[in-house]
Amino acid sequence: MPKSRLIALLLAGWLLALAAPAHALDAAAVAQLAAEDSAAKIEAVGKLAADGDAAAIPILRALQNDELYAAEGRILIVRGDAATDALTGEPVDTAAAAPEPIVVNNRIRNAIDSALAGLRLVAPERELRLAAARELAGGAGAAMLPLIRAALERESDAEIADLLAQAAATIEIGSPDPEVRRGAVRVLGRSDRPQTLELLAGLLRRNADGDFVEPDAAVRAEAEAAIATIEARLFVPRAIGALFSGLSLGSVLLLAALGLAITFGLMGIINMAHGEMLMIGAYTTFVVQTIFRRYFPEAFDAYLLVAVPAAFLAAGLVGVALERTIIRHLYGRPLETLLTTWGISLILIQAVRTVFGAQNVEVANPSWMSGGFHLGADVVLPSNRVAIVLFAALVVLLVGLFLARTRLGLCVRAVTQNRAMADCMGIPTPRVDWMTFGLGSGIAGLGGVALSQIGNVGPDLGQSYIVDSFMVVVLGGVGQLWGTIIAAIGLGEVNKFLEPYAGAVLGKIFVLVFIILFIQKRPQGLFALKGRAAEA
């Protein structure tokens, strides 16, 4: 054969090899997607994923999005008025084909999610492979095992390889071979996922006949050792997460109770409408957010910078108006004050329902407050909670500086300690009263801003925190800033540590019983009020 002809034949073969696909989709598996039985569909999804052909991705996504149809023995992808053959990509006339949609349920959708994750394992981008490996480590079908093993053999990234090994072990733990199960348990012992603990604990349970779910004693012993190792590894992240949850709740309680501690200590007013100041602050945040979203969308992430002073002013002005018109006539009459402020709270709630409606409204987090800080073991510190803790610390610092370094703060402390003596010394106690009441209400408005970032805002928002606020004030000591801080953080931590054992409701009951017993022994709270008025 002439050399030129040989070269031409080799070149033609090379071009044909390039034109041909590296993998051919399994036509039988694609056709099986239209089966009536869900198990058959799930099996077909697993086959397509196990082949590792990226051409299966658009078909599986179409099935996931309810865009896959069956017509005359063909599988079609239908989007709008256009339809194409899933295997060949050729356009199909839907009028002539009369396609019928392929129905999927949640089980099939879960299988599709796993399959798409498996197919992403061949992506060149590390982040895509890492996300796919994390998804598969949370659980994958047995049909995915060959694909996971193949991806594990060629994976050079240590983190991704470890996740793939755990994904494979999660499947192999159901193997009939005890040696394979033991090796799978040993691999799972390197995990820090709480789901892995549940999986391993399932091996140590007994069935209805009283026998162990895992019949092999060596596998059970390996599972016990793996559980102990994982529990030890999870202890520190879980403890940090629980401490932060308590600190976060304590920060919210502190913002809710700080203003109440000042006004209660100064005037002895049992202000049942204090929770509605939180609500006013939260709705002010919602209004500011709406304005920014409509008129300044490009500056939306900065809306909190306007919402914070706006909420302080709105709640503060409402507080001043209430003190000047109603509350100042009720000094020295605690029962009448309690009933009046309770009535005021109902009026404010109804006013908000009239203006904004009875349904909750949503306040979105700025982008810089989205996400969180991952500590491992599925423990994440949400960015919005971290921001609230820092915000509460800033508010406490500013209030402390106000009380210690300003003339009005000095007057507030003087009136709190001995109102009669302060009046004799020329301090204008009525003016101090309304200014301090406005300050306390404004601080509650700031608490409303914080609450709007961790949940929906509704007319009954303040009712959820008024009792806790009074508990913080009474436990910490009336008018005592440090007492309020310690009581709020302490109650937050105790609540969060009791919840896993007693539940949220019983935990709160235990806290309430403790406070009642504590007040019986120490009526003045953690920090006693100083001054002649306290000694009288």
Side-chain angles (χ1 to χ4, degrees):
M1 181 181 295
K3 185 176 181 182
S4 59
R5 187 178 177 187
L6 178 61
I7 293 174
L9 287 173
L10 290 174
L11 181 60
W14 179 66
L15 290 174
L16 287 172
L18 286 179
H23 298 87
L25 278 178
D26 187 343
V30 174
Q32 192 177 338
L33 293 173
E36 294 291 334
D37 185 23
S38 295
K41 291 179 181 177
I42 292 173
E43 183 184 358
V45 169
K47 288 178 182 176
L48 291 173
D51 288 341
D53 192 345
I57 293 177
I59 298 176
L60 294 177
R61 282 182 177 161
L63 182 62
Q64 188 180 46
N65 298 329
D66 298 322
E67 296 173 341
L68 206 64
Y69 287 70
E72 301 176 355
R74 303 171 73 183
I75 303 299
L76 310 180
I77 297 176
V78 180
R79 294 189 178 95
D81 296 331
T84 57
D85 189 293
L87 279 172
T88 65
E90 297 175 353
V92 178
D93 183 5
T94 55
E100 295 183 1
I102 297 176
V103 180
V104 297
N105 55 29
N106 288 336
R107 286 178 57 217
I108 299 173
R109 292 187 191 280
N110 291 335
I112 295 170
D113 290 338
S114 295
L116 289 173
L119 290 171
R120 290 200 303 272
L121 290 176
V122 299
E125 297 85 358
R126 179 186 182 275
E127 291 304 319
L128 285 178
R129 300 199 313 278
L130 179 60
R134 283 174 176 165
E135 189 174 336
L136 290 171
M144 299 295 297
L145 184 58
L147 183 60
I148 293 172
R149 283 294 181 195
L152 182 59
E153 288 177 3
R154 63 174 175 267
E155 184 58 61
S156 58
D157 187 282
E159 183 180 3
I160 299 176
D162 188 56
L163 288 170
L164 290 174
Q166 291 176 29
T170 303
I171 299 171
E172 290 174 339
I173 204 167
S175 169
D177 187 350
E179 286 299 323
V180 174
R181 296 201 302 273
R182 194 177 308 139
V185 169
R186 207 173 295 122
V187 172
L188 291 174
R190 303 200 303 262
S191 172
D192 62 352
R193 298 170 61 90
Q195 295 90 334
T196 304
L197 273 177
E198 298 175 10
L199 179 64
L200 294 174
L203 301 178
L204 305 179
R205 296 193 184 102
R206 295 179 182 270
N207 55 31
D209 299 330
D211 299 326
F212 283 105
V213 173
E214 170 51 59
D216 191 274
V219 176
R220 293 199 302 271
E222 197 75 50
E224 290 176 353
I227 289 172
T229 302
I230 295 173
E231 289 281 7
R233 194 182 302 119
L234 292 181
F235 177 77
V236 173
R238 282 178 171 175
I240 294 175
L243 285 171
F244 177 78
S245 296
L247 181 62
S248 174
L249 175 60
S251 299
V252 172
L253 292 178
L254 179 58
L255 289 170
L258 192 57
L260 185 63
I262 296 173
T263 55
F264 191 30
L266 179 71
M267 295 171 280
I269 297 295
I270 303 175
N271 182 15
M272 296 300 293
H274 185 77
E276 279 51 63
M277 302 301 123
L278 292 166
M279 177 194 67
I280 290 171
Y283 271 100
T284 302
T285 307
F286 169 71
V287 171
V288 173
Q289 171 203 253
T290 303
I291 293 172
F292 267 74
R293 183 170 282 164
R294 181 174 301 175
Y295 299 106
F296 312 105
E298 69 284 351
F300 181 78
D301 283 348
Y303 84 86
L304 278 182
L305 300 179
V306 177
V308 168
F312 180 85
L313 288 174
L317 289 175
V318 172
V320 170
L322 291 178
E323 197 280 336
R324 287 286 83 192
T325 56
I326 300 174
I327 294 175
R328 72 188 184 95
H329 302 292
L330 301 175
Y331 291 151
R333 294 185 285 173
L335 181 59
E336 288 89 338
T337 303
L338 187 149
L339 294 175
T340 302
T341 54
W342 179 60
I344 291 171
S345 73
L346 297 180
I347 293 172
L348 291 174
I349 290 173
Q350 189 56 45
V352 168
R353 284 198 179 117
T354 303
V355 175
F356 296 98
Q359 300 298 321
N360 289 351
V361 297
E362 182 183 359
V363 179
N365 293 136
S367 60
W368 52 270
M369 286 179 63
S370 302
F373 303 93
H374 185 71
L375 298 183
D378 286 351
V379 177
V380 178
L381 307 185
S383 297
N384 57 350
R385 295 272 183 177
V386 174
I388 287 173
V389 171
L390 297 176
F391 180 64
L394 177 62
V395 171
V396 170
L397 176 63
L398 294 177
V399 171
L401 291 174
F402 164 78
L403 293 175
R405 300 295 177 88
T406 65
R407 178 176 176 80
L408 179 57
L410 180 62
C411 292
V412 169
R413 288 187 289 139
V415 174
T416 301
Q417 291 183 20
N418 195 318
R419 173 178 289 271
M421 182 60 69
D423 202 9
C424 292
M425 296 296 293
I427 295 176
T429 52
R431 187 171 69 183
V432 172
D433 286 341
W434 69 258
M435 292 181 72
T436 307
F437 202 86
L439 173 66
S441 300
I443 294 172
L446 297 180
V449 177
L451 289 174
S452 71
Q453 300 301 302
I454 57 176
N456 289 331
V457 175
D460 299 324
L461 174 68
Q463 298 290 305
S464 305
Y465 290 92
I466 186 63
V467 174
D468 289 334
S469 298
F470 273 107
M471 285 199 300
V472 169
V473 172
V474 172
L475 180 62
V478 176
Q480 299 300 310
L481 183 61
W482 275 110
T484 304
I485 296 171
I486 294 174
I489 301 301
L491 286 178
E493 295 290 355
V494 170
N495 267 303
K496 287 302 179 182
F497 273 97
L498 283 178
E499 276 182 12
Y501 306 101
V505 177
L506 277 178
K508 187 160 286 191
I509 291 174
F510 289 151
V511 170
L512 182 59
V513 170
F514 166 75
I515 291 176
I516 292 173
L517 296 175
F518 179 83
I519 295 302
Q520 294 295 317
K521 296 293 183 182
R522 191 176 175 86
Q524 68 273 33
L526 290 173
F527 294 87
L529 187 66
K530 297 179 181 179
R532 294 184 180 181
E535 298 168 0

